[in-house]
């Protein structure tokens, strides 16, 4: 009886060890499968996160570039406006300076020449005045 129970125990123990080994192999396979699936999901999710981040960065950079371009256009318009204003001012100033730098008037003639010319004009005046008086007198007659 003791030998019988030992033999039965040994057989049952061998079956138990085989079943335990199979269960361990099955658990190892199942856990490895879950790990592989988790790793695949993780890679896919990492790619999604990277794509979302790169899209965000791209949109942010595009907006910054657009804003910088807008600021550049505004600055350029301002500079063009200033340049035009300066050109108009320069033209006006050149006109003023040209008038200022214009050739000086010829010097006045000497006093003797002026006195001679004044005497000649006075004689002409008296002669014409006398002629006007003579014509009036003729008209009245």
């Amino acid at each position: 009886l003791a030998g019988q129970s030992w033999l039965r125990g040994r057989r049952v123990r061998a079956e138990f060890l085989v079943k335990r080994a199979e269960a361990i192999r099955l658990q190892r396979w199942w856990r490895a499968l879950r790990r592989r699936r988790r790793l695949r999901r993780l890679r896919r999710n990492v790619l999604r996160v990277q794509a979302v981040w790169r899209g965000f960065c791209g949109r942010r950079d595009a907006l910054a570039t657009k804003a910088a371009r807008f600021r550049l256009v505004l600055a350029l318009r301002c500079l063009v406006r200033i340049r035009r204003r300066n050109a108009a001012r320069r033209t006006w100033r050149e006109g003023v300076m040209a008038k200022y730098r214009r050739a000086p008037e010829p010097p006045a003639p000497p006093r003797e020449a002026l006195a001679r010319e004044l005497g000649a004009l006075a004689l002409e005046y008296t002669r014409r005045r006398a002629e006007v008086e003579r014509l009036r007198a003729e008209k009245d007659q």
Side-chain angles (χ1 to χ4, degrees), residues 46-62:
V46 163
L47 290 177
R48 279 188 195 144
V49 168
Q50 286 176 346
V52 167
W53 176 250
R54 288 176 183 151
F56 168 77
C57 289
R59 284 187 294 276
R60 182 186 61 195
D61 294 346

Side-chain angles (χ1 to χ4, degrees), residues 121-133:
L121 286 174
L123 281 175
E124 179 73 21
Y125 175 75
T126 55
R127 189 183 61 75
R128 287 191 180 188
R129 180 91 180 174
E131 190 177 343
V132 167
E133 292 296 325

